[in-house]
Amino acid sequence: MFTEQQIQDIENASVAEAIAIVSKQFPQETVFSTSLGQEDQVLTHVIARNNLPVKIFTLDTGRLFYEHYELLEKTNARYKTNIQVYFPEAADVEQFVNEKGVNAFFESVENRKQCCFIRKVKPLNRALQGAKVWITGLRADQSDNRKEMKMLEWDDARQLYKFNPLIHWTYEQMIDYIKENNVPYNPLHDKGFISIGCAPCTRAIEPGEDARAGRWWWEVSHKECGLHVNS
């Protein structure tokens, strides 16, 4: 468990120092899930450049953009990392597609959430087995659901700490860091794809639109897939 003093130290530290404190408290049990989005690329840079003992993994849903795979290769080459890839269970995907159709997620929010659960949530839960700390690249201004999230919080459902070191960063801070440190990122970001998920479920946003407007663009919802919703 983290003491109140440790939590305060984490909140007042730099990103690298904060991750070092957390990973020292739980050696071999601190993991980072990267979607290879811009926030996650910042954290990968911090972890790799500071040789922090954090396992990095990503989820391959089977419906990602080609640019995602190019970036994964480029990131591993740049930082000498071996980002572990977790896939959905083939039987789950086969049953969903055969029963409801290959693009059934367009038909209802229920279908979309079921697809996200199969392709994202279940593989994530498998990847987090044995972990005590789960590092994410969440930022408060990404969506209304994330505004109330803390830097370090207890995930009761998964029985681990969820650590969001960039939660108070602005979009501008993140972009500046990427430019200053020449951090590799997905070229789709330069084409209006601010939040990138599966290819069928992501579109570029228009100037002035909310950053999450391009995710599941055909539905009215909280724009979450279930990875970061505890209730």
Side-chain angles (χ1 to χ4, degrees):
M1 300 291 290
F2 288 102
T3 66
E4 289 299 321
Q5 183 60 53
Q6 285 176 318
I7 293 174
Q8 185 175 341
D9 290 343
I10 290 168
E11 292 177 343
N12 293 331
S14 69
V15 173
E17 292 168 341
I19 296 175
I21 294 171
V22 168
S23 58
K24 182 178 180 180
Q25 179 75 2
F26 291 100
Q28 310 302 319
E29 297 173 312
T30 300
V31 301
F32 166 45
S33 61
T34 175
S35 68
L36 276 69
Q38 288 169 303
E39 293 86 358
D40 293 339
Q41 289 298 96
V42 167
L43 290 177
T44 296
H45 178 91
V46 170
I47 291 168
R49 287 293 182 252
N50 292 278
N51 295 312
L52 298 173
V54 176
K55 173 189 173 181
I56 306 176
F57 71 87
T58 192
L59 307 178
D60 186 345
T61 66
R63 301 296 298 265
L64 301 175
F65 287 94
Y66 177 72
E67 288 85 349
H68 173 94
Y69 300 103
E70 286 190 317
L71 181 58
L72 178 60
E73 288 294 303
K74 182 182 293 185
T75 301
N76 277 328
R78 167 77 177 277
Y79 298 111
K80 304 298 187 293
T81 49
N82 182 23
I83 297 173
Q84 299 296 295
V85 183
Y86 286 80
F87 298 88
E89 297 289 343
D92 290 341
V93 177
E94 289 173 0
Q95 181 176 357
F96 178 83
V97 170
N98 289 327
E99 290 182 357
K100 297 190 174 184
V102 69
N103 289 329
F105 40 80
F106 288 126
E107 297 174 5
S108 69
V109 174
E110 180 184 10
N111 281 355
R112 195 271 293 169
K113 288 186 175 181
Q114 184 182 357
C115 187
C116 287
F117 181 79
I118 290 169
R119 295 180 183 273
K120 294 182 178 182
V121 179
K122 285 188 70 175
L124 173 71
N125 290 341
R126 196 168 74 247
L128 290 176
Q129 288 179 2
K132 297 298 184 184
V133 178
W134 168 26
I135 300 175
T136 85
L138 298 182
R139 291 187 301 103
D141 65 6
Q142 288 173 326
S143 69
D144 289 339
N145 179 64
R146 299 174 184 185
K147 288 179 180 177
E148 304 302 319
M149 291 183 175
K150 299 178 182 179
M151 183 175 291
L152 187 67
E153 54 189 9
W154 178 253
D155 186 329
D156 195 57
R158 297 184 174 98
Q159 290 292 295
L160 48 65
Y161 283 102
K162 190 174 180 181
F163 178 37
N164 312 307
L166 302 183
I167 197 69
H168 300 307
W169 278 38
T170 65
Y171 177 79
E172 290 72 23
Q173 279 179 287
M174 176 189 68
I175 295 300
D176 287 344
Y177 187 95
I178 288 172
K179 291 179 178 178
E180 291 169 6
N181 294 277
N182 193 30
V183 176
Y185 65 92
N186 194 320
L188 290 175
H189 289 304
D190 294 332
K191 300 178 181 180
F193 292 80
I194 303 303
S195 176
I196 302 174
C198 292
C201 303
T202 307
R203 67 160 173 81
I205 64 172
E206 300 295 331
E209 275 193 302
D210 182 86
R212 299 282 287 181
R215 301 294 295 277
W216 311 295
W217 39 268
W218 64 91
E219 68 179 46
V220 177
S221 70
H222 292 294
K223 303 294 185 179
E224 295 286 352
C225 62
L227 296 183
H228 302 293
V229 179
N230 294 331
S231 59

